[in-house]
Amino acid sequence: MAAAPILARRIARSGVLPLCCRPPSWDRAPRQPPRLPLAPCRAFSNNKIQVELDESSGVAMMKFKSPPVNSLSLDFLTEFSISLEKLENDRACRGVIITSTIPKIFSSGLDIMEMCGKNMEHYGEFWRAVQEMWLRLYGSNMVTVAAVNGSSPAGGCLIALSCDYRIMAENPKFSIGLNEAQLGIVAPFWFKDTFVNVVGHRIAERSLQLGSLHPAPEALKLGLVDELVPEEKLLEKASAVMARWLALPDHARQLTKSMMRKAVLDHLVAHREEDIKNFINFISKESIQKSLRMYMEMLKKKKS
Amino acid sequence: MAAAPILARRIARSGVLPLCCRPPSWDRAPRQPPRLPLAPCRAFSNNKIQVELDESSGVAMMKFKSPPVNSLSLDFLTEFSISLEKLENDRACRGVIITSTIPKIFSSGLDIMEMCGKNMEHYGEFWRAVQEMWLRLYGSNMVTVAAVNGSSPAGGCLIALSCDYRIMAENPKFSIGLNEAQLGIVAPFWFKDTFVNVVGHRIAERSLQLGSLHPAPEALKLGLVDELVPEEKLLEKASAVMARWLALPDHARQLTKSMMRKAVLDHLVAHREEDIKNFINFISKESIQKSLRMYMEMLKKKKS
Amino acid sequence: MAAAPILARRIARSGVLPLCCRPPSWDRAPRQPPRLPLAPCRAFSNNKIQVELDESSGVAMMKFKSPPVNSLSLDFLTEFSISLEKLENDRACRGVIITSTIPKIFSSGLDIMEMCGKNMEHYGEFWRAVQEMWLRLYGSNMVTVAAVNGSSPAGGCLIALSCDYRIMAENPKFSIGLNEAQLGIVAPFWFKDTFVNVVGHRIAERSLQLGSLHPAPEALKLGLVDELVPEEKLLEKASAVMARWLALPDHARQLTKSMMRKAVLDHLVAHREEDIKNFINFISKESIQKSLRMYMEMLKKKKS
């Protein structure tokens, strides 16, 4: 995965350098004894995402904080991938809980602005960043728990699907699903593969064709999320689930996870450039551009 | 799919030319305004199947009407494939609802008469027609809804499984399933693949080995059909479901459907001739012929 | 499957020759009339497993009887494979019910003693015997019903998963699952494939990563077992299920079973030597040996 150069380029271009508040002496700090009254905690954040790692538990809390709707822009995706990479390489980190600071929204999915009225090179760069994010998250060695505290369409749903466990706020107004078909676009094969691995072929076939957004109770019934809890208990529950997963030895758990996900990950890695070309060709079509413009108009009218 | 020559040959041989009551001027008739008091409607029918296309909605109603039990004879399959092809090529048609005019029977499946006491060439021609029907239906670009208003064993079940959505009459006397094993024969791999895509591996493994015919309530529980409604509301419900599926843009929905079904379709296309040879070899065996003759005797006794 | 030489070698080495109480005249005994007051019955048993074949029904009862916990030692596996082979080759046998004579335990899975502190050659021989058992059981032409009358972790669960049908005693104290991850080891890919074929990808992914042991009621809910009955009715129920499966013609049922399981069986056959090498490498690691020693210490302490 040749992610590093792209990420470096994005950082250079955007001028956003992830701020790391980890003290220089940290690495040598003893991991024992844990559970100090105030647990030692490394934190870093950037424009879009805030991360805190509780060293005593080995659990990082990652919060999307990109108003208005945590849409997955090129910048957001880049920062997301960088954050994942940092945690992955941090031996003190064994698991990450992903949630949102924006009320009612987990993530609204891919940023349509990045797919509309831009040039081919931009589309390519954008799509590579989407792939990169998914390869890192779906293939992560860490335990990943999604605490879905708001609606989560399309790319937002993909993030949840890529985690090891999904807990959603028990609110029928929040919905989740791969609704690309509603916008006249098609979820790529690896979105589909990830979806099928969670809900099975039949539910995926129907839900993808209809571009369904499933209200939380329905999402539970379909197996799209693992459980529902009242919103105020979401993080508490996520921590409890995480503790249960971290009770297992990392090595065996990681090899098992890799065994389950390898085929689907390898499929994208083997067809990555082709997938980018397909995306560029598809999204550049005038008919698709028109669809997306209409959709954006609709969203604007809704807002005003 | 080299279907056209075969179909043409069958038409020439059987002397059945699909009757098309579409007026010559129709093509130029404005599609707007729809919803005339009597909606414009193209209809065609043949000996076995009756089709009406409601141009205002883009939905065709296809009714099997081949007494006594809508069995899938070579003629029936040929006319079914021709009907599907006509609708597929008709830009006014976006979806098709498939149902039966025969009380208590949707379709009884492959016509045993075509598999018993005939020569090898006939078996080959018959099997190619079964393949052709499935390739057209499972791979259709249209939205396909099965309104299963009666029992639907074996090939009848395959037709339902190949649609996008299955609604069954809420009558525990009606049953559905791939019951080939009960007759001493084996469902071919693409029947199996279609089944697994709907109900998953475990349910398929058990149901296929037992040759189970599942009463409607059980079929719902297993996911073999999507919902049950009282028989008198079946077509109304099918139309409502169809409207929901047609609310999506065709292009994205079609690409999504193709993505979900391509692997299974391609598998048969790649092994089509081999599959025909296998069928001929299997069905020509004296032991299998004997099984089928016994089964037909049993059916005859039941009748009298 | 080059099992015979290995099995022969094992017999020679262990000095355990399966005792067969089948009278010499048996083969020529008429299979009709069945249902004598005392049904004709062939029995054989060895140190670990006892088998009785009821000729009138064609059903063999196979009982694990290797105290304390029916662990799958090299000897046990060898005798299990031999017993399966004998039944498979016996035309009078059409199905086998597998259960345990040990209270509260179906089988505790692979014998850790065989994986700890031995040499590489031993590990290889042991692993080949595990593969052999699974290839015979998962690929059996007989109807196989597991009557799970006790807990069934790891390899014990694999045996149940490899059968055609699983009935478990309705006792929440009995649990079943592939809990390898809890011991710091990884279920091999063909354990995983067998599991996925029963419960689907999502449940398998979660359960394998957590090394979950599911209490009977949960196992039913997940589809890991097909039904629960009170322990005293287990064998009666298993016989009733078996009769239902045997009502089908053998040939069609066998071909159907093979069609469903072939891909997964072929996968191991194609990678068998590689899988043995992987096992040897993995199990020989000092870290893994240490894990297993700790686990054994824990078990010993529990006992005393």
Side-chain angles (χ1 to χ4, degrees), chain C residues 20-27 41-42:
Chain C
C20 179
C21 68
R22 176 176 161 188
S25 66
W26 207 270
D27 279 335
C41 174
R42 298 174 194 174

Side-chain angles (χ1 to χ4, degrees), chain C residues 93-139:
Chain C
C93 181
R94 300 175 62 212
V96 56
I97 295 169
I98 301 177
T99 193
S100 160
T101 61
I102 312 281
K104 298 181 192 167
I105 288 282
F106 179 70
S107 160
S108 66
L110 302 185
D111 189 342
I112 295 179
M113 303 291 287
E114 306 279 11
M115 301 190 277
C116 208
K118 299 284 198 302
N119 64 30
M120 302 258 238
E121 205 202 331
H122 183 86
Y123 296 146
E125 191 182 6
F126 175 64
W127 199 245
R128 192 180 298 277
V130 181
Q131 294 176 332
E132 188 63 33
M133 178 276 287
W134 178 77
L135 288 170
R136 287 198 179 280
L137 184 59
Y138 198 61

Side-chain angles (χ1 to χ4, degrees), chain B residues 109-167:
Chain B
L110 302 185
D111 189 342
I112 295 179
M113 303 291 287
E114 305 278 12
M115 300 191 278
C116 206
K118 300 284 200 300
N119 64 30
M120 303 258 241
E121 205 203 330
H122 183 86
Y123 296 146
E125 191 182 6
F126 175 63
W127 199 246
R128 191 179 297 277
V130 181
Q131 293 176 332
E132 187 63 32
M133 178 275 288
W134 177 76
L135 289 169
R136 285 197 180 282
L137 184 58
Y138 197 61
S140 174
N141 269 325
M142 301 180 286
V143 174
T144 50
V145 173
V148 183
N149 55 346
S151 282
S152 199
C157 176
L158 180 73
I159 292 174
L161 288 172
S162 302
C163 289
D164 292 313
Y165 200 85
R166 285 157 289 285
I167 310 168

Side-chain angles (χ1 to χ4, degrees), chain A residues 123-124 127-128 130-132 134 186-191 267-282:
Chain A
Y123 296 146
W127 199 245
R128 191 179 298 276
V130 181
Q131 294 176 331
E132 187 63 33
W134 177 78
V186 180
F189 71 87
W190 40 285
F191 281 50
H267 195 189
L268 177 59
V269 170
H271 296 89
R272 194 164 176 181
E273 298 309 319
E274 195 186 326
D275 183 58
I276 292 173
K277 270 184 209 158
N278 283 343
F279 174 76
I280 296 175
N281 285 341
F282 184 78

Side-chain angles (χ1 to χ4, degrees), chain C residues 49-302:
Chain C
I49 297 170
Q50 163 194 330
V51 181
E52 283 189 36
L53 168 60
D54 175 351
E55 271 209 286
S56 66
S57 65
V59 178
M61 181 68 66
M62 182 184 279
K63 289 181 176 167
F64 298 157
K65 48 150 200 167
S66 180
V69 289
N70 287 329
S71 64
L72 306 176
S73 64
L74 182 47
D75 281 346
F76 187 104
L77 290 165
T78 305
E79 296 183 358
F80 191 12
S81 287
I82 290 173
S83 301
L84 287 172
E85 190 184 21
K86 286 178 66 166
L87 294 174
E88 200 82 51
N89 292 334
D90 189 333
R91 295 195 57 185
C93 181
R94 300 175 62 212
V96 56
I97 295 169
I98 301 177
T99 193
S100 160
T101 61
I102 312 281
K104 298 181 192 167
I105 288 282
F106 179 70
S107 160
S108 66
L110 302 185
D111 189 342
I112 295 179
M113 303 291 287
E114 306 279 11
M115 301 190 277
C116 208
K118 299 284 198 302
N119 64 30
M120 302 258 238
E121 205 202 331
H122 183 86
Y123 296 146
E125 191 182 6
F126 175 64
W127 199 245
R128 192 180 298 277
V130 181
Q131 294 176 332
E132 188 63 33
M133 178 276 287
W134 178 77
L135 288 170
R136 287 198 179 280
L137 184 59
Y138 198 61
S140 174
N141 268 326
M142 301 180 285
V143 174
T144 50
V145 173
V148 183
N149 55 346
S151 282
S152 197
C157 177
L158 181 73
I159 291 175
L161 289 171
S162 301
C163 289
D164 292 313
Y165 201 85
R166 286 156 288 286
I167 310 168
M168 191 164 179
E170 199 172 35
N171 184 338
K173 285 184 187 162
F174 298 163
S175 63
I176 184 168
L178 294 176
N179 64 324
E180 280 79 355
Q182 295 242 14
L183 285 66
I185 59 178
V186 180
F189 71 86
W190 40 286
F191 281 50
K192 179 264 287 178
D193 290 343
T194 310
F195 199 26
V196 168
N197 273 355
V198 174
V199 298
H201 191 279
R202 171 55 187 156
I203 291 172
E205 184 182 278
R206 182 168 146 188
S207 182
L208 283 175
Q209 282 197 70
L210 290 171
S212 302
L213 284 175
H214 305 286
E218 189 177 297
L220 178 68
K221 212 173 139 198
L222 297 177
L224 183 42
V225 298
D226 294 298
E227 55 183 311
L228 303 185
V229 297
E231 193 171 351
E232 66 276 16
K233 303 219 168 159
L234 199 55
L235 292 186
E236 184 189 324
K237 182 72 193 184
S239 295
V241 165
M242 179 62 81
R244 208 181 138 210
W245 283 66
L246 291 182
L248 277 285
D250 281 341
H251 190 61
R253 188 194 48 71
Q254 287 162 358
L255 289 174
T256 304
K257 181 173 178 176
S258 164
M259 176 172 67
M260 296 303 300
R261 299 189 168 189
K262 193 170 184 310
V264 162
L265 286 162
D266 285 355
H267 195 188
L268 177 58
V269 170
H271 296 88
R272 196 164 174 181
E273 299 308 320
E274 195 186 326
D275 183 57
I276 292 173
K277 269 185 211 159
N278 283 343
F279 175 75
I280 297 174
N281 285 342
F282 184 77
I283 213 72
S284 307
K285 278 185 190 155
E286 188 39 40
S287 59
I288 301 299
Q289 286 291 312
K290 198 178 154 194
S291 276
L292 293 176
R293 279 195 304 267
M294 279 170 58
Y295 188 77
M296 286 202 296
E297 283 304 315
M298 199 192 73
L299 288 182
K300 271 185 208 165
K301 272 181 202 158
K302 243 188 182 172

